[in-house]
Amino acid sequence: MSERRNVLKDKSFSFAIRIINLYKYLSTAKNEFILSKQLLRSGTAVGALVREAQNAESKADSFINWL
């Protein structure tokens, strides 16, 4: 189970890095600020939600965190 957590953690981290790079591109090259900020917030929240679900105390807590 811990191996699966590491894969999920790694993938969510890589996704967040890609989102940050996309945010930088949109805000500098395309002068898009409103949409890019929302993309940054929602794209980086994935990692926080994954960690919160992994640290849940029971399966019911884990399910509630994903709602």
Side-chain angles (χ1 to χ4, degrees), residues 2-63:
S2 63
E3 183 177 321
R4 173 179 275 190
R5 287 184 180 170
N6 289 336
V7 170
L8 190 57
K9 182 180 174 183
D10 293 342
K11 286 188 176 197
S12 64
F13 184 77
S14 296
F15 180 73
I17 296 296
R18 292 183 68 192
I19 291 295
I20 291 169
N21 290 332
L22 180 58
Y23 165 76
K24 288 178 183 178
Y25 169 75
L26 288 174
S27 62
T28 57
K30 300 294 182 179
N31 290 328
E32 171 55 54
F33 300 107
I34 297 171
L35 185 62
S36 62
K37 284 183 184 179
Q38 181 60 38
L39 176 70
L40 181 66
R41 277 185 296 233
S42 61
T44 55
V46 173
L49 292 172
V50 166
R51 285 186 187 84
E52 186 176 343
Q54 287 177 344
N55 294 329
E57 294 178 9
S58 67
K59 289 213 179 252
D61 289 339
S62 173
F63 179 74

